[in-house]
Amino acid sequence: MIRARNSDEEPSVRKRRLLQQLGKVMQVSLSLCTMGSLFSYPSALYSDLTHHNTTIYNTYISMDGKEDRVGSLLLASSLPGAWLGAVLAMKMGRRRTMMVMGVLGVTGWLALSLIPHPIGILAARCVSGLGVGGTAVTTNAYVTELSDPDVRGMMMMVPNLSISIGMLLSVSVGYGARYFVTAFVCALVPALFTLALLRLPESPSFLVLKGREEEATDILYNLRGCHANVKAEIESYKALNRQARHGPSWRGLLRPTVLKPLFVVSTLFVINSFSGYMVVTVNASRLFEEAGTTIDGSMAAVVIMLVMIGAGVGGFFLTDRIGRRNILFTGFTLRTASLVGMTIYAGIRQAGGGSSPTEGEELGMLGDAAARNVTVAVTGSEGRYGWIPLACLVGSQSGASMGLATMPFLLSQEYFPTAIRPRASSVCFTVLTLGMFAVLQLYTPMLEGLTQAGLYAFYGSVSLLGIPFTAFCVTETMGKNVG
């Protein structure tokens, strides 16, 4: 399944070494599990406050009119977090920077559970957002620099899978417990992540960049095995970073050889944002209620998260087999087809006056007989077609989870060497943050202006644009050394 790096290493030794490497990646991926739980938490919060309106102190609380801000403020505050993480990662190292972000993660969750006021919840989300931004920049860089080149794609899928697991954690706990209990449970993840970092090594390429070659050599032998040509790897780090470095500031990002990949990755992030991936993640229960399906919104959200984990596992095995470009093609195609299906379903409901699946009997008053018959078929009184929204949203989210949401992050690490990687990643993450902030803030206005069918049509059209963009602009990086 995995190509050997050198012919001297026994297959059993290689397997054991890569499993140890995977163990390190899984520990550091707890940070992305925290990110995932933060992304999907608004859906659990909305579900809880729909049925209850009290805090941990049994005082009244309401988030009416603030639902969109609960999701979007996390992303808005992640923007300064990404730039802060980029600076700290180059000065303190990846490991210490991730520890800072882990502490911010714990603080945000505890504040969210203990502050008994809507403004306090929004402020806690901002604190968590700082950790999200720094985590996204630093953790992905760390995993890239730790992994063998020929399994780097698989290793980078582990953080992606962790995001889906984190989403499942917050919604599965949140739909059965109060919002503050969910926050306490989710706070355990960044706490474990921070403790795990005490035993993990620093990035070897960062150490080489700082002139600490002896430390880097010891770590690389542990990661690559005793038969690896560690000296050659260190020299490749030096060469690639010597070409990329342009002074001690951010000026290196202005080189033409850097601007082109920055444009490609940033555009992928924009397409990913406006294809509606985060909208479904954050508003899962609301979407099912608005779709008029008979399936319980909370249960449907949990099903989506479970399927996303399965799709992430599939992406883990495919990324280093079929390559980054083919993963993008597959993801965009699946999302486009699923969103077209959702558009048709929502359009038929609108033709019948926007009735729910249990109101099919009332459609006889709504005009054209042919349109009425089609609408009744979809939203009949028995709700036998109420599974369609679930199937379509499962398909669209699976397309993202199997790698579409991860490939821009992976490429933002593989396109740039160590000397500029955190800075370049922070620029790309800034584009992602602004895009997702905009799409979350615009969700309700776009729903009112475009209708539900129009909104899904917009998301599907954006996903479709990703196919030709990948064909003409994305360069394959599978198996290449990234310095």
Side-chain angles (χ1 to χ4, degrees):
M1 180 179 69
I2 301 170
R3 300 180 302 276
R5 291 195 66 190
N6 60 76
S7 58
D8 297 325
E9 189 175 31
E10 293 291 333
S12 60
V13 175
R14 174 176 169 78
K15 182 179 180 180
R16 183 166 58 252
R17 177 177 62 81
L18 290 180
L19 285 175
Q20 292 173 349
Q21 196 175 110
L22 177 62
K24 293 179 173 66
V25 171
M26 291 175 68
Q27 291 177 65
V28 78
S29 294
L30 287 171
S31 63
L32 278 299
C33 185
T34 300
M35 182 188 297
S37 62
L38 286 165
F39 283 159
S40 60
Y41 181 76
S43 185
L45 178 68
Y46 174 81
S47 177
D48 179 41
L49 294 183
T50 299
H51 301 91
H52 309 281
N53 56 6
T54 57
T55 69
I56 191 173
Y57 309 105
N58 207 32
T59 57
Y60 174 79
I61 187 172
S62 173
M63 297 299 294
D64 289 345
K66 302 181 180 66
E67 294 92 341
D68 289 346
R69 275 179 279 175
V70 173
S72 59
L73 279 178
L74 178 80
L75 293 170
S77 58
S78 70
L79 180 56
W83 292 83
L84 175 63
V87 172
L88 294 180
M90 290 306 299
K91 293 187 177 298
M92 298 171 50
R94 280 53 163 153
R95 181 169 162 270
R96 290 181 180 177
T97 301
M98 288 187 291
M99 293 180 74
V100 172
M101 301 307 157
V103 171
L104 285 175
V106 174
T107 303
W109 279 120
L110 293 180
L112 195 150
S113 61
L114 296 175
I115 298 178
H117 194 277
I119 301 301
I121 289 179
L122 296 179
R125 293 285 287 179
C126 289
V127 173
S128 298
L130 291 173
V132 165
T135 291
V137 170
T138 314
T139 301
N140 286 300
Y142 181 82
V143 173
T144 299
E145 294 160 4
L146 210 69
S147 307
D148 282 22
D150 51 352
V151 296
R152 189 173 55 241
M154 295 177 65
M155 294 298 182
M156 280 295 292
M157 287 302 297
V158 176
N160 177 65
L161 190 58
S162 297
I163 292 176
S164 299
I165 292 173
M167 292 177 180
L168 177 63
L169 173 65
S170 62
V171 296
S172 58
V173 174
Y175 292 143
R178 296 302 315 277
Y179 78 90
F180 45 83
V181 174
T182 304
F184 277 127
V185 173
C186 291
L188 295 175
V189 179
L192 290 173
F193 163 67
T194 306
L195 292 174
L197 286 170
L198 297 174
R199 302 179 64 249
L200 291 175
E202 181 54 86
S203 160
S205 59
F206 170 79
L207 293 174
V208 171
L209 191 67
K210 294 299 182 180
R212 297 157 61 181
E213 291 186 24
E214 188 173 338
E215 294 177 59
T217 300
D218 291 339
I219 293 172
L220 282 171
Y221 273 123
N222 179 265
L223 291 171
R224 309 288 187 251
C226 59
H227 296 293
N229 191 345
V230 169
K231 288 186 177 181
E233 185 166 349
I234 289 176
E235 288 303 316
S236 73
Y237 291 160
K238 291 180 179 179
L240 286 167
N241 286 290
R242 195 179 302 120
Q243 295 171 14
R245 205 164 188 173
H246 191 76
S249 68
W250 297 76
R251 286 177 295 167
L253 299 181
L254 300 178
R255 294 165 59 92
T257 53
V258 176
L259 286 175
K260 181 180 177 180
L262 272 177
F263 167 77
V264 171
V265 176
S266 297
T267 303
L268 284 174
F269 275 133
V270 170
I271 294 173
N272 190 24
S273 298
F274 284 91
S275 69
Y277 167 65
M278 190 54 62
V279 171
V280 178
T281 299
V282 172
N283 300 292
S285 60
R286 290 174 63 187
L287 286 171
F288 278 98
E289 290 181 14
E290 290 160 356
T293 176
T294 53
I295 299 175
D296 179 71
S298 300
M299 181 60 67
V302 172
V303 170
I304 287 179
M305 302 305 171
L306 285 170
V307 174
M308 286 174 65
I309 292 174
V313 172
F316 173 82
F317 291 105
L318 288 174
T319 302
D320 283 317
R321 283 180 176 270
I322 67 175
R324 286 50 164 159
R325 281 164 50 89
N326 287 331
I327 285 286
L328 288 170
F329 284 133
T330 304
F332 281 129
T333 302
L334 183 55
R335 277 192 67 79
T336 301
S338 300
L339 290 168
V340 167
M342 195 66 189
T343 301
I344 295 172
Y345 176 87
I348 293 174
R349 285 194 70 250
Q350 287 172 202
S355 65
S356 70
T358 59
E359 295 171 341
E361 299 92 339
E362 300 177 8
L363 297 176
M365 302 179 292
L366 297 175
D368 184 80
R372 183 172 66 248
N373 290 338
V374 173
T375 307
V376 171
V378 173
T379 61
S381 59
E382 296 178 1
R384 59 184 179 276
Y385 293 103
W387 55 268
I388 293 178
L390 177 60
C392 291
L393 293 181
V394 160
S396 66
Q397 294 301 91
S398 296
S401 187
M402 74 176 295
L404 183 58
T406 304
M407 288 305 107
F409 282 105
L410 177 55
L411 293 176
S412 72
Q413 307 303 319
E414 294 183 327
Y415 277 168
F416 312 106
T418 306
I420 59 172
R421 184 173 294 127
R423 296 185 179 108
S425 297
S426 67
V427 172
C428 298
F429 187 79
T430 297
V431 174
L432 172 68
T433 299
L434 293 175
M436 287 193 171
F437 177 80
V439 80
L440 287 173
Q441 280 294 104
L442 293 172
Y443 167 66
T444 300
M446 288 179 70
L447 180 63
E448 294 172 353
L450 298 176
T451 72
Q452 194 174 64
L455 183 63
Y456 287 119
F458 174 81
Y459 293 154
S461 299
V462 174
S463 296
L464 182 62
L465 288 176
I467 297 175
F469 181 81
T470 300
F472 293 109
C473 299
V474 176
T475 302
E476 184 59 66
T477 56
M478 182 173 63
K480 295 182 180 179
N481 198 350
V482 299

